[in-house]
Amino acid sequence: MHDGIHVEKAGLPSATICTDRFIPTAQGMARMWGAEDYPTIFTQHPIENLDRPALRERAEGLATEVAAILTGG
Amino acid sequence: MTTTFTDITTTSWDDALSAIEKGYELGWGDGLPIVPPTIGRVAEFIGYAGRAPDEVLGELPERRRVITVEKAAANAVMAGCIPEYFPVVLAATEAMLDPTFNLVGPSSSMGGSAVLCIVNGPIRDQIGLNSRNNLFGPGNRANGTIGRSVRLILMNACAAIPGLFDRSVIGHPGKYTYCIAEAEGETHWMPLHVDRGFNASDSTVTVFAGESPRQIRAVGRPEAILYTMADVASTLGTSMSTSGSVGDVSVGIRQGQIVVTFAGNSNLWRDWTKDRIREYLHANIHRSVADLKRALVLPGDVEAGDEAAMVSLIPEPEDILVVFAGGEESNMASVIPSWGPKVGSTAVTKAIQIP
């Protein structure tokens, strides 16, 4: 969240993905930096135990949302 | 001396019990009752240390927090310190805010570490820090309240709030308080702070992002104690052994620092220096490639040769912090694995400014 917010503030479009267990932490970090409206994608926790095919499938499922955020759609 | 505070929230209460309850309402703390941080008491601490209230001890830029002397003082009062302990709290705060320590990592991680403070030098005796019996246990005000001050500073000043920015999954009891001293006058070994470049006459505090201490019971001979200690420190399940590499990907696992404490009578160790102990432990704290593959830390199936191929869990011998401390029985020791890889957090030692 911290890095995504700062990349965005620097003028480079960013899209941040968090797992849903970290919603309060992500929102707290956004509030801390005055970026309450920073768009964040939440995906089901956990991802650490996913193998490569499952992780790829998860990423592909989020790709449209990521593209929309990056292009301001 | 009149203290002018620069960043202050005031509240009022009718009596001590109301003040304690008010502290809970304001979310100040670790769940235990606080000593009310009255303006007078906080000013007394700052005056004793002879530091400016707005002097910056360090910053946590990721959380937009600047930690000043007055913030540290308020938390030291709340933790139950007396003014004479406050210089230790100040040095510990400076140490954990040193960029080398990378506080944002161990204070937020799911790994659940605590900031262990190890005090060396003359101040240990001056303020009565315990370095012997019941080393990590209760019963000593200086150990208990200095360690608690660090936790309150983390929570109240650094925003390490459980569930918000402190995401520990398990945590450990050292997160309430975690402060020891080395019994340096009772051993021929070089004290930890001298090992780390200070003079024996300096007073210092070393901060270390540590898991909980694992107590070791061994047959009371040096070789047996060290063999047992190396076995305990080599277990799967520590952050060092069972997490994927961060930084040096050629290793495959996280290699981290470690604190080891030795209790008892120093005479038992007359043939051993700290250097020799570090060399032994560094060579023997390791795990086989086969086991690391079974634990899915390293990829691939177990192959011929994997049982004998060992991966070191400690980067260098000097990454083993050796401390002589604990009760009278030489067959007891402890191991404290680091929260994570050395690249993620490295122990920091700071001099304590005694007024």
Side-chain angles (χ1 to χ4, degrees):
Chain A
M1 282 298 291
H2 174 272
D3 294 351
I5 290 167
H6 282 78
V7 167
E8 190 78 35
K9 280 179 184 287
L12 199 64
S14 70
T16 297
I17 303 168
C18 290
T19 61
D20 53 13
R21 292 281 173 82
F22 290 90
I23 289 174
T25 307
Q27 292 174 340
M29 183 59 79
R31 274 196 307 277
M32 191 168 267
W33 286 97
E36 289 87 345
D37 298 330
Y38 178 72
T40 310
I41 301 166
F42 292 105
T43 186
Q44 190 181 356
H45 189 86
I47 57 170
E48 186 186 22
N49 59 347
L50 299 182
D51 59 18
R52 292 184 74 86
L55 190 60
R56 183 174 189 83
E57 185 182 351
R58 182 76 71 89
E60 285 173 351
L62 299 171
T64 304
E65 213 174 337
V66 170
I69 289 173
L70 291 178
T71 58
Chain B
M1 182 176 104
T2 303
T3 299
T4 305
F5 293 99
T6 58
D7 183 5
I8 187 168
T9 301
T10 57
T11 183
S12 59
W13 49 81
D14 298 328
D15 54 48
L17 201 55
S18 305
I20 291 167
E21 291 300 324
K22 188 74 177 178
Y24 281 115
E25 281 175 35
L26 291 166
W28 291 348
D30 54 6
L32 298 171
I34 57 159
V35 173
T38 61
I39 290 174
R41 185 69 165 163
V42 175
E44 188 183 355
F45 275 45
I46 296 170
Y48 177 82
R51 310 274 288 262
D54 60 350
E55 181 186 339
V56 174
L57 299 170
E59 299 184 30
L60 198 57
E62 297 86 349
R63 298 188 193 142
R64 308 184 80 175
R65 297 299 176 110
V66 177
I67 314 305
T68 56
V69 167
E70 64 191 1
K71 288 181 180 174
N75 285 288
V77 171
M78 286 196 275
C81 285
I82 56 175
E84 289 78 6
Y85 303 166
F86 187 44
V88 185
V89 175
L90 286 170
T93 306
E94 289 172 317
M96 72 179 177
L97 290 168
D98 187 297
T100 306
F101 191 72
N102 190 31
L103 181 63
V104 74
S107 72
S108 64
S109 167
M110 293 189 291
S113 68
V115 179
L116 171 65
C117 298
I118 307 166
V119 181
N120 281 97
I123 199 166
R124 296 166 309 111
D125 293 332
Q126 293 163 9
I127 62 174
L129 274 161
N130 178 41
S131 58
R132 291 299 251 166
N133 181 270
N134 222 339
L135 180 65
F136 293 98
N140 183 283
R141 184 175 182 178
N143 299 58
T145 60
I146 290 170
R148 189 186 182 204
S149 298
V150 168
R151 176 53 48 185
L152 292 183
I153 289 166
L154 282 165
M155 294 181 69
N156 295 332
C158 299
I161 309 295
L164 184 60
F165 293 122
D166 176 351
R167 297 297 311 225
S168 295
V169 175
I170 304 294
H172 66 80
K175 293 186 75 169
Y176 281 95
T177 183
Y178 210 15
C179 176
I180 63 171
E182 182 162 23
E184 56 193 67
E186 298 174 56
T187 171
H188 63 282
W189 285 343
M190 202 176 284
L192 178 69
H193 67 314
V194 177
D195 267 345
R196 295 173 64 80
F198 290 84
N199 295 319
S201 58
D202 293 332
S203 290
T204 67
V205 60
T206 300
V207 295
F208 175 80
E211 297 183 352
S212 54
R214 165 75 191 271
Q215 295 184 74
I216 293 169
R217 180 186 294 269
V219 172
R221 294 181 192 162
E223 295 80 1
I225 293 168
L226 291 172
Y227 183 82
T228 307
M229 178 176 272
D231 185 77
V232 169
S234 301
T235 54
L236 297 176
T238 68
S239 183
M240 291 159 19
S241 66
T242 329
S243 287
S245 174
V246 176
D248 184 0
V249 293
S250 67
V251 182
I253 61 159
R254 297 182 178 189
Q255 289 181 314
Q257 297 184 311
I258 197 165
V259 170
V260 293
T261 69
F262 295 89
N265 187 332
S266 180
N267 193 42
L268 180 78
W269 297 93
R270 59 188 173 275
D271 297 329
W272 290 77
T273 61
K274 281 190 176 180
D275 277 339
R276 190 177 166 206
I277 287 173
R278 278 190 284 265
E279 283 166 19
Y280 176 92
L281 290 175
H282 180 253
N284 290 282
I285 297 175
H286 52 199
R287 197 78 191 190
S288 71
V289 169
D291 277 345
L292 294 169
K293 284 184 171 179
R294 291 185 187 104
L296 304 182
V297 181
L298 298 182
D301 297 326
V302 176
E303 297 170 357
D306 284 351
E307 299 288 357
M310 307 302 281
V311 178
S312 176
L313 306 187
I314 313 277
E316 303 292 340
E318 58 263 31
D319 292 316
I320 301 168
L321 282 65
V322 181
V323 179
F324 186 76
E328 290 75 20
E329 296 301 319
S330 294
N331 63 335
M332 297 292 289
S334 79
V335 163
I336 305 173
S338 64
W339 154 74
K342 189 179 173 186
V343 68
S345 182
T346 303
V348 172
T349 303
K350 294 281 187 190
I352 297 167
Q353 296 180 33
I354 303 173

